[in-house]
Amino acid sequence: VLIDGQHPFLSPDALNWEQQATVFEGGVLDLAFGDNLFVAVSGRGLIATSTSGVDWVRRESGTTGTIQSVAYGDGRWVAVGGE
């Protein structure tokens, strides 16, 4: 999966890409994959998750600030941002 800022694209072979539905209207700032889960983050505290890269579920972040980056490592998800 890759995101062009607003739309996710999927590819079975990294050569042929197919555009999917928009994750966030305001665009995606970062995307990470870990523990069989894709996580996308954006402004206004928006987080969405997907196991397939096709169907996305919005999640509560507890903030209305911009989430600029997300990462997975050592069994934990970490998201950072600012005002």
Side-chain angles (χ1 to χ4, degrees), residues 30-41 49 69-80:
D30 198 19
L31 172 74
F33 180 79
D35 198 27
N36 296 313
L37 188 69
F38 293 99
V39 176
V41 296
T49 62
S69 186
V70 63
Y72 180 84
D74 199 23
R76 293 179 188 243
W77 285 99
V78 177
V80 296

Side-chain angles (χ1 to χ4, degrees), residues 6-56:
Q6 193 164 16
H7 298 94
F9 288 80
L10 294 178
S11 173
D13 57 11
L15 296 174
N16 301 297
W17 294 87
E18 183 177 325
Q19 183 176 321
Q20 304 299 307
T22 300
V23 177
F24 300 124
E25 291 176 13
V28 172
L29 296 177
D30 198 19
L31 172 74
F33 180 79
D35 198 27
N36 296 313
L37 188 69
F38 293 99
V39 176
V41 296
S42 187
R44 298 186 315 266
L46 299 175
I47 296 176
T49 62
S50 175
T51 56
S52 65
V54 176
D55 301 310
W56 293 85

